[in-house]
mmCIF file of all heavy atoms in Angstrom:
data_model
loop_
_atom_site.group_PDB
_atom_site.id
_atom_site.type_symbol
_atom_site.label_atom_id
_atom_site.label_comp_id
_atom_site.label_asym_id
_atom_site.label_seq_id
_atom_site.Cartn_x
_atom_site.Cartn_y
_atom_site.Cartn_z
ATOM 1 N N ASP A 74 154.781 231.321 78.688
ATOM 2 C CA ASP A 74 153.874 230.999 79.787
ATOM 3 C C ASP A 74 154.504 230.233 80.939
ATOM 4 O O ASP A 74 153.813 229.891 81.899
ATOM 5 C CB ASP A 74 152.726 230.125 79.248
ATOM 6 C CG ASP A 74 151.531 230.978 78.912
ATOM 7 O OD1 ASP A 74 151.521 232.150 79.301
ATOM 8 O OD2 ASP A 74 150.625 230.467 78.249
ATOM 9 N N ARG A 76 156.143 228.654 84.164
ATOM 10 C CA ARG A 76 156.248 229.020 85.572
ATOM 11 C C ARG A 76 157.296 228.131 86.221
ATOM 12 O O ARG A 76 157.571 227.031 85.765
ATOM 13 C CB ARG A 76 154.914 228.769 86.283
ATOM 14 C CG ARG A 76 153.873 229.794 85.957
ATOM 15 C CD ARG A 76 152.513 229.227 86.186
ATOM 16 N NE ARG A 76 152.291 228.072 85.302
ATOM 17 C CZ ARG A 76 151.937 226.871 85.736
ATOM 18 N NH1 ARG A 76 151.766 226.637 87.011
ATOM 19 N NH2 ARG A 76 151.762 225.890 84.867
ATOM 20 N N THR A 79 156.681 224.374 86.964
ATOM 21 C CA THR A 79 156.629 223.327 85.950
ATOM 22 C C THR A 79 157.814 223.386 84.992
ATOM 23 O O THR A 79 157.813 222.728 83.965
ATOM 24 C CB THR A 79 155.321 223.467 85.141
ATOM 25 O OG1 THR A 79 155.282 224.776 84.574
ATOM 26 C CG2 THR A 79 154.117 223.245 86.022
ATOM 27 N N ASP A 81 160.719 222.123 85.108
ATOM 28 C CA ASP A 81 161.428 220.865 84.859
ATOM 29 C C ASP A 81 160.782 220.040 83.750
ATOM 30 O O ASP A 81 161.468 219.345 82.997
ATOM 31 C CB ASP A 81 161.491 220.025 86.143
ATOM 32 C CG ASP A 81 162.694 220.413 86.995
ATOM 33 O OD1 ASP A 81 163.467 221.289 86.558
ATOM 34 O OD2 ASP A 81 162.844 219.859 88.088
ATOM 35 N N TYR A 82 159.453 220.072 83.666
ATOM 36 C CA TYR A 82 158.797 219.373 82.556
ATOM 37 C C TYR A 82 159.273 219.936 81.221
ATOM 38 O O TYR A 82 159.588 219.212 80.286
ATOM 39 C CB TYR A 82 157.269 219.531 82.637
ATOM 40 C CG TYR A 82 156.623 218.760 83.751
ATOM 41 C CD1 TYR A 82 155.816 219.394 84.679
ATOM 42 C CD2 TYR A 82 156.803 217.385 83.865
ATOM 43 C CE1 TYR A 82 155.198 218.691 85.693
ATOM 44 C CE2 TYR A 82 156.188 216.677 84.880
ATOM 45 C CZ TYR A 82 155.393 217.329 85.790
ATOM 46 O OH TYR A 82 154.775 216.624 86.797
ATOM 47 N N TYR A 83 159.290 221.265 81.173
ATOM 48 C CA TYR A 83 159.737 221.911 79.936
ATOM 49 C C TYR A 83 161.190 221.553 79.630
ATOM 50 O O TYR A 83 161.529 221.164 78.506
ATOM 51 C CB TYR A 83 159.569 223.427 80.041
ATOM 52 C CG TYR A 83 160.353 224.179 79.020
ATOM 53 C CD1 TYR A 83 159.982 224.161 77.670
ATOM 54 C CD2 TYR A 83 161.494 224.888 79.383
ATOM 55 C CE1 TYR A 83 160.719 224.840 76.716
ATOM 56 C CE2 TYR A 83 162.235 225.573 78.434
ATOM 57 C CZ TYR A 83 161.850 225.549 77.113
ATOM 58 O OH TYR A 83 162.593 226.208 76.178
ATOM 59 N N GLY A 85 163.011 219.049 80.688
ATOM 60 C CA GLY A 85 163.176 217.629 80.375
ATOM 61 C C GLY A 85 162.698 217.287 78.981
ATOM 62 O O GLY A 85 163.391 216.616 78.211
ATOM 63 N N HIS A 86 161.518 217.770 78.638
ATOM 64 C CA HIS A 86 160.994 217.422 77.323
ATOM 65 C C HIS A 86 161.796 218.077 76.205
ATOM 66 O O HIS A 86 162.067 217.460 75.173
ATOM 67 C CB HIS A 86 159.527 217.813 77.211
ATOM 68 C CG HIS A 86 158.988 217.575 75.849
ATOM 69 N ND1 HIS A 86 159.078 216.338 75.233
ATOM 70 C CD2 HIS A 86 158.419 218.399 74.937
ATOM 71 C CE1 HIS A 86 158.552 216.415 74.029
ATOM 72 N NE2 HIS A 86 158.163 217.655 73.827
ATOM 73 N N ASP A 89 165.052 216.257 75.766
ATOM 74 C CA ASP A 89 164.837 214.954 75.140
ATOM 75 C C ASP A 89 164.756 215.112 73.614
ATOM 76 O O ASP A 89 165.450 214.417 72.857
ATOM 77 C CB ASP A 89 163.545 214.344 75.682
ATOM 78 C CG ASP A 89 163.427 212.868 75.349
ATOM 79 O OD1 ASP A 89 164.468 212.204 75.197
ATOM 80 O OD2 ASP A 89 162.290 212.383 75.236
ATOM 81 N N ASN A 93 167.788 213.972 70.899
ATOM 82 C CA ASN A 93 167.494 213.049 69.799
ATOM 83 C C ASN A 93 167.880 213.668 68.457
ATOM 84 O O ASN A 93 168.470 213.007 67.595
ATOM 85 C CB ASN A 93 165.999 212.696 69.788
ATOM 86 C CG ASN A 93 165.625 211.728 70.891
ATOM 87 O OD1 ASN A 93 166.456 210.934 71.337
ATOM 88 N ND2 ASN A 93 164.389 211.795 71.348
ATOM 89 N N ARG A 97 171.058 212.566 65.691
ATOM 90 C CA ARG A 97 170.991 212.336 64.248
ATOM 91 C C ARG A 97 172.072 213.128 63.507
ATOM 92 O O ARG A 97 172.668 212.635 62.552
ATOM 93 C CB ARG A 97 169.608 212.707 63.717
ATOM 94 C CG ARG A 97 168.544 211.646 64.001
ATOM 95 C CD ARG A 97 167.242 211.919 63.282
ATOM 96 N NE ARG A 97 166.555 213.061 63.868
ATOM 97 C CZ ARG A 97 165.699 212.974 64.892
ATOM 98 N NH1 ARG A 97 165.405 211.804 65.429
ATOM 99 N NH2 ARG A 97 165.127 214.042 65.361
ATOM 100 N N ASP D 70 159.682 210.793 68.339
ATOM 101 C CA ASP D 70 160.886 210.306 69.016
ATOM 102 C C ASP D 70 160.679 209.872 70.451
ATOM 103 O O ASP D 70 161.634 209.443 71.105
ATOM 104 C CB ASP D 70 161.932 211.425 69.028
ATOM 105 C CG ASP D 70 162.881 211.276 67.880
ATOM 106 O OD1 ASP D 70 162.875 210.211 67.243
ATOM 107 O OD2 ASP D 70 163.634 212.214 67.620
ATOM 108 N N LEU D 71 159.495 209.988 70.956
ATOM 109 C CA LEU D 71 159.284 209.792 72.383
ATOM 110 C C LEU D 71 159.667 208.377 72.826
ATOM 111 O O LEU D 71 159.491 207.414 72.097
ATOM 112 C CB LEU D 71 157.804 210.039 72.693
ATOM 113 C CG LEU D 71 157.510 210.535 74.099
ATOM 114 C CD1 LEU D 71 158.172 211.871 74.323
ATOM 115 C CD2 LEU D 71 156.018 210.658 74.291
ATOM 116 N N ARG D 72 160.200 208.280 74.033
ATOM 117 C CA ARG D 72 160.429 206.973 74.647
ATOM 118 C C ARG D 72 159.728 206.946 75.999
ATOM 119 O O ARG D 72 159.480 207.973 76.611
ATOM 120 C CB ARG D 72 161.929 206.774 74.885
ATOM 121 C CG ARG D 72 162.708 206.485 73.632
ATOM 122 C CD ARG D 72 164.136 206.863 73.835
ATOM 123 N NE ARG D 72 164.268 208.290 74.096
ATOM 124 C CZ ARG D 72 164.844 208.826 75.151
ATOM 125 N NH1 ARG D 72 165.378 208.037 76.065
ATOM 126 N NH2 ARG D 72 164.903 210.126 75.332
ATOM 127 N N THR D 75 161.003 208.933 79.082
ATOM 128 C CA THR D 75 160.901 210.384 79.223
ATOM 129 C C THR D 75 159.512 210.909 78.920
ATOM 130 O O THR D 75 159.325 212.118 78.794
ATOM 131 C CB THR D 75 161.911 211.063 78.281
ATOM 132 O OG1 THR D 75 161.646 210.611 76.942
ATOM 133 C CG2 THR D 75 163.329 210.706 78.653
ATOM 134 N N ASP D 77 156.927 211.290 80.727
ATOM 135 C CA ASP D 77 156.338 212.203 81.711
ATOM 136 C C ASP D 77 156.764 213.653 81.473
ATOM 137 O O ASP D 77 155.988 214.582 81.723
ATOM 138 C CB ASP D 77 156.726 211.783 83.132
ATOM 139 C CG ASP D 77 155.776 210.735 83.687
ATOM 140 O OD1 ASP D 77 154.808 210.387 82.985
ATOM 141 O OD2 ASP D 77 156.004 210.266 84.805
ATOM 142 N N TYR D 78 157.989 213.865 81.023
ATOM 143 C CA TYR D 78 158.403 215.233 80.692
ATOM 144 C C TYR D 78 157.512 215.794 79.588
ATOM 145 O O TYR D 78 157.045 216.923 79.651
ATOM 146 C CB TYR D 78 159.855 215.275 80.208
ATOM 147 C CG TYR D 78 160.869 215.025 81.289
ATOM 148 C CD1 TYR D 78 161.833 214.025 81.144
ATOM 149 C CD2 TYR D 78 160.908 215.803 82.440
ATOM 150 C CE1 TYR D 78 162.794 213.804 82.121
ATOM 151 C CE2 TYR D 78 161.853 215.585 83.420
ATOM 152 C CZ TYR D 78 162.803 214.580 83.258
ATOM 153 O OH TYR D 78 163.744 214.371 84.221
ATOM 154 N N TYR D 79 157.322 214.954 78.596
ATOM 155 C CA TYR D 79 156.473 215.399 77.483
ATOM 156 C C TYR D 79 155.053 215.678 77.956
ATOM 157 O O TYR D 79 154.468 216.730 77.659
ATOM 158 C CB TYR D 79 156.482 214.352 76.364
ATOM 159 C CG TYR D 79 155.354 214.522 75.394
ATOM 160 C CD1 TYR D 79 155.347 215.587 74.502
ATOM 161 C CD2 TYR D 79 154.275 213.644 75.395
ATOM 162 C CE1 TYR D 79 154.290 215.758 73.617
ATOM 163 C CE2 TYR D 79 153.220 213.807 74.509
ATOM 164 C CZ TYR D 79 153.235 214.863 73.630
ATOM 165 O OH TYR D 79 152.194 215.036 72.769
ATOM 166 N N GLY D 81 153.926 216.302 80.962
ATOM 167 C CA GLY D 81 153.867 217.435 81.878
ATOM 168 C C GLY D 81 153.988 218.760 81.150
ATOM 169 O O GLY D 81 153.204 219.689 81.388
ATOM 170 N N HIS D 82 154.959 218.851 80.252
ATOM 171 C CA HIS D 82 155.152 220.127 79.569
ATOM 172 C C HIS D 82 153.990 220.435 78.634
ATOM 173 O O HIS D 82 153.527 221.575 78.539
ATOM 174 C CB HIS D 82 156.473 220.133 78.806
ATOM 175 C CG HIS D 82 156.626 221.374 78.015
ATOM 176 N ND1 HIS D 82 156.539 222.627 78.592
ATOM 177 C CD2 HIS D 82 156.815 221.590 76.697
ATOM 178 C CE1 HIS D 82 156.685 223.551 77.664
ATOM 179 N NE2 HIS D 82 156.844 222.944 76.511
ATOM 180 N N ASP D 85 151.008 221.537 80.602
ATOM 181 C CA ASP D 85 151.198 222.885 81.129
ATOM 182 C C ASP D 85 150.843 223.930 80.067
ATOM 183 O O ASP D 85 150.068 224.859 80.316
ATOM 184 C CB ASP D 85 152.663 223.044 81.561
ATOM 185 C CG ASP D 85 152.861 224.275 82.412
ATOM 186 O OD1 ASP D 85 151.902 224.687 83.095
ATOM 187 O OD2 ASP D 85 153.968 224.828 82.399
ATOM 188 N N ASN D 89 147.346 226.315 80.090
ATOM 189 C CA ASN D 89 147.445 227.778 80.018
ATOM 190 C C ASN D 89 146.632 228.316 78.840
ATOM 191 O O ASN D 89 145.928 229.317 78.961
ATOM 192 C CB ASN D 89 148.910 228.203 79.863
ATOM 193 C CG ASN D 89 149.694 228.060 81.154
ATOM 194 O OD1 ASN D 89 149.128 228.142 82.242
ATOM 195 N ND2 ASN D 89 150.990 227.835 81.043
ATOM 196 N N ARG D 93 142.989 230.695 78.853
ATOM 197 C CA ARG D 93 142.687 231.936 78.136
ATOM 198 C C ARG D 93 141.348 231.837 77.396
ATOM 199 O O ARG D 93 140.572 232.784 77.353
ATOM 200 C CB ARG D 93 143.815 232.268 77.149
ATOM 201 C CG ARG D 93 145.019 232.891 77.833
ATOM 202 C CD ARG D 93 146.021 233.411 76.820
ATOM 203 N NE ARG D 93 146.719 232.320 76.137
ATOM 204 C CZ ARG D 93 147.808 231.738 76.591
ATOM 205 N NH1 ARG D 93 148.372 232.133 77.725
ATOM 206 N NH2 ARG D 93 148.370 230.748 75.927
#
Side-chain angles (χ1 to χ4, degrees):
Chain A
D74 264 348
R76 285 157 298 125
T79 57
D81 274 358
Y82 289 125
Y83 163 71
H86 175 54
D89 194 28
N93 285 332
R97 282 189 289 272
Chain D
D70 264 348
L71 208 62
R72 286 157 298 124
T75 57
D77 274 357
Y78 289 126
Y79 163 71
H82 175 55
D85 194 28
N89 286 332
R93 281 189 288 273

